[in-house]
Amino acid sequence: MNAIAHPARRYALWASVPLSVGGLWALSYYLREREPVPDIVPGGTFEPQPGQKLPPNMPKLITNEDTGKWSIYTSRGKNLFTQGRLDEAEKYLVKAIDHAKKGFGEEDAHVATSFNNLAELYRLKKEYKKAEPLYIDAISLLEQSMGPEHPSVGFALHNLGGFYLLQDNFPKAIEYYERALKIKGRGLGLNHPEYANTMFHLGKAMQLTGKPTEAETLIRHSIQILEDGGYGQSQSAIRRMVVLAEILTQTNQLQEAENLQRKILHSVEITQGPEAASTIYALESLAETLQLQGNFDEAEELLKRCLDLRQKSNSGDHIQIWATLFKLACVAMGRAKRHEGDGAKDATAAEYDKAMTLLQQAIKIAENNWKQVTSASDEVKSSYFLPLVQSLSMAGLVSVKNLEASGNTADEGVKLGEKALRQCLEIFNSTDVPDVGAAREKLKCTERLEKLTRLMHGNTAEAKRLRKEASRLKAEVPG
């Protein structure tokens, strides 16, 4: 089964970037965020705003039969791509290259644009060996036709950096983002939003390479540039704030993360509305940070608001509803741990009961989703497998903690947890899950069932068997 894609690394969407010459366009990574300012892309033109300088060596508009066909084939390729008809789109984009060469000349920037378009299509088809040389040829052509310091070269280098980032080739991603940043800085200025855009993605690459300090500095600066330019409320600025908040949370700067997340929530509520998907995401992110700080009451309040919004906009079995229920259960467990530390047994038991009730709801949703994808591809199944086993395993953990606190082996919640853990292992044993995340979850499930069995029945043969199995799994799980 394939590993679930990391959300910070995988961008499955493309965006069409309109240019100002005759409706020309170029495909661009969704990862390259659009700013509310004029664009420069390979083969495109630049329309300066008051005070902005015109880059040198801009391509001249040439009109002939081949340039017309280039425009038509490019447009058709784009339309087919947006319909998901990639093989048909490829035929038109290949033809567009031929007509670009004939109409504009072999070394014209429009040829570079066509190379980039086809490279993007191959990237989406995961034909990386075909895509990479096209990106490189696009850069080479732009350097020859427009000069090595032209901003369009910076854009092309940025695209190649994104190509490597999506393949987790972080050293090369960083190399090309750094080159793009220097060229954009010199050609556009250090306060230009597109300079900030590459700076942000360089920061993302640094974050994924395990360099949070460098990432934080770059992303802070990229946000500041947008704010200074009047784009502090733009979607690009908000997305960058979200990533910065993640870094602050990862580096245990929780109070600053909370402050930033409150700012994000305020912005998205104003710009997109109190019930927008981005508002729900902002609510959940803030709730998680509050939970980490022990502010369980406000975290629960925000998550309940999320649950209400998601239940209004989605079906009852939607996986996002599962996610919110799971997070609410985690808040209840955190509060139970606090009550246990204070010696409040009844309050502790009540919170564990609440957590179990929430998890039973989450398990039901996860089970229904799992049943619907049993005949789907491994990639689709993997998206629903982990939610199910995580819910079952967490229910087992609640039972372990509840039993440790109360000593009541007859508690109904404890029995539910034992049943959930056994179901979890049955699913693992009947499903092929080479994914590392799933293997770790299996280890957790086994360890929890061993502990629960020992607490309920003593050091029985079953407990010993589970302990031996846990040791075997631990040796097999990386890290």
Side-chain angles (χ1 to χ4, degrees):
M1 186 178 293
N2 297 327
I4 298 176
H6 192 294
R9 301 181 184 179
R10 298 286 179 261
Y11 299 79
L13 302 178
W14 286 3
S16 60
V17 182
L19 309 184
S20 55
V21 177
L24 308 182
W25 65 278
L27 294 176
S28 172
Y29 283 129
Y30 180 72
L31 125 82
R32 176 176 169 271
E33 300 164 355
R34 290 280 294 149
E35 307 286 1
V37 293
D39 247 333
I40 303 174
V41 293
T45 63
F46 179 69
E47 296 179 0
Q49 297 296 299
Q52 286 183 299
K53 62 182 179 179
L54 182 68
N57 303 326
M58 292 306 301
K60 296 179 180 179
L61 180 61
I62 301 173
T63 303
N64 56 47
E65 182 179 353
D66 282 298
T67 62
K69 288 183 178 179
W70 174 80
S71 181
I72 290 170
Y73 288 142
T74 300
S75 179
R76 287 180 181 174
K78 170 190 173 182
N79 291 334
L80 289 166
F81 159 74
T82 56
Q83 297 171 36
R85 297 158 63 182
L86 301 184
D87 290 340
E88 294 174 73
E90 179 182 350
K91 295 176 183 177
Y92 283 103
L93 294 179
V94 169
K95 289 180 180 179
I97 291 175
D98 182 55
H99 287 291
K101 290 178 178 179
K102 292 178 181 177
F104 297 107
E106 292 275 345
E107 298 181 354
D108 187 83
H110 292 81
V111 179
T113 296
S114 297
F115 283 160
N116 188 74
N117 292 343
L118 187 58
E120 294 283 85
L121 182 139
Y122 286 142
R123 177 194 63 81
L124 194 67
K125 294 177 73 174
K126 298 183 179 180
E127 296 182 18
Y128 299 128
K129 290 183 179 179
K130 291 183 179 180
E132 185 175 24
L134 288 167
Y135 284 119
I136 294 171
D137 287 347
I139 293 169
S140 178
L141 270 180
L142 287 168
E143 288 176 331
Q144 294 173 31
S145 63
M146 306 179 83
E149 294 296 307
H150 193 277
S152 290
V153 176
F155 277 83
L157 289 166
H158 179 111
N159 283 348
L160 183 55
F163 169 77
Y164 288 128
L165 183 66
L166 295 179
Q167 297 177 78
D168 295 345
N169 188 338
F170 302 127
K172 281 198 172 183
I174 290 171
E175 174 190 345
Y176 285 99
Y177 279 141
E178 286 179 337
R179 286 179 60 188
L181 190 67
K182 290 178 182 178
I183 292 172
K184 284 186 176 182
R186 288 192 288 260
L188 301 175
L190 302 181
N191 294 318
H192 196 285
E194 279 297 345
Y195 175 74
N197 185 43
T198 296
M199 181 178 289
F200 166 67
H201 287 97
L202 177 58
K204 280 292 301 174
M206 291 292 187
Q207 179 193 14
L208 295 170
T209 320
K211 299 178 180 178
T213 302
E214 293 90 335
E216 180 184 340
T217 300
L218 288 163
I219 293 172
R220 280 187 188 277
H221 192 182
S222 75
I223 294 169
Q224 189 64 53
I225 291 172
L226 291 186
E227 290 179 337
D228 291 346
Y231 303 117
Q233 296 294 319
S234 68
Q235 292 307 301
S236 293
I238 292 171
R239 280 194 289 269
R240 293 170 198 190
M241 290 179 198
V242 169
V243 175
L244 178 57
E246 290 175 359
I247 294 171
L248 292 171
T249 301
Q250 291 164 2
T251 54
N252 206 34
Q253 301 177 67
L254 298 180
Q255 186 57 60
E256 189 174 359
E258 177 191 336
N259 294 339
L260 184 57
Q261 286 167 335
R262 291 189 187 278
K263 180 179 179 181
I264 294 167
L265 177 59
H266 177 71
S267 295
V268 297
E269 283 184 315
I270 290 175
T271 59
Q272 299 182 45
E275 298 186 359
S278 54
T279 299
I280 298 173
Y281 176 82
L283 286 166
E284 286 197 332
S285 298
L286 176 56
E288 289 175 14
T289 301
L290 291 169
Q291 179 187 347
L292 288 172
Q293 297 179 87
N295 188 345
F296 300 117
D297 291 345
E298 188 178 0
E300 183 179 56
E301 178 186 342
L302 294 176
L303 287 172
K304 283 182 176 179
R305 181 179 163 192
C306 291
L307 184 62
D308 181 58
L309 291 171
R310 283 187 161 153
Q311 287 174 332
K312 285 181 180 178
S313 58
N314 297 299
S315 65
D317 286 339
H318 198 283
I319 199 66
Q320 290 181 345
I321 296 175
W322 166 85
T324 306
L325 288 167
F326 189 88
K327 290 172 183 176
L328 277 167
C330 291
V331 170
M333 289 188 68
R335 192 186 279 120
K337 185 177 181 180
R338 172 180 291 175
H339 288 320
E340 186 177 354
D342 294 338
K345 291 186 177 181
D346 290 345
T348 300
E351 290 300 324
Y352 280 134
D353 287 345
K354 182 192 293 185
M356 183 61 77
T357 299
L358 290 162
L359 286 168
Q360 290 301 309
Q361 296 175 47
I363 289 169
K364 183 177 179 181
I365 291 173
E367 284 177 333
N368 289 340
N369 278 281
W370 178 245
K371 290 175 183 176
Q372 294 175 21
V373 299
T374 51
S375 60
S377 67
D378 283 351
E379 187 171 2
V380 172
K381 287 167 67 176
S382 67
S383 300
Y384 294 94
F385 179 80
L386 279 178
L388 176 56
V389 295
Q390 284 174 343
S391 303
L392 293 165
S393 182
M394 184 63 76
L397 179 62
V398 170
S399 293
V400 169
K401 295 297 183 182
N402 194 4
L403 185 52
E404 286 178 329
S406 68
N408 183 9
T409 58
D411 183 89
E412 186 62 30
V414 171
K415 295 178 181 178
L416 286 173
E418 182 183 18
K419 178 182 177 182
L421 288 171
R422 294 194 184 282
Q423 182 183 349
C424 182
L425 289 178
E426 285 176 8
I427 293 170
F428 271 113
N429 292 333
S430 62
T431 309
D432 180 25
V433 282
D435 172 65
V436 172
R440 287 179 179 145
E441 203 62 47
K442 183 178 182 180
L443 172 60
K444 289 180 185 177
C445 186
T446 304
E447 290 176 332
R448 289 167 184 174
L449 183 56
E450 184 276 330
K451 190 169 187 178
L452 188 61
T453 301
R454 186 159 34 85
L455 289 171
M456 293 179 69
H457 310 294
N459 193 24
T460 61
E462 172 68 359
K464 292 177 182 178
R465 184 191 67 79
L466 289 166
R467 191 155 55 247
K468 184 177 180 181
E469 175 66 6
S471 297
R472 184 187 66 79
L473 292 171
K474 189 177 293 185
E476 294 177 358
V477 175

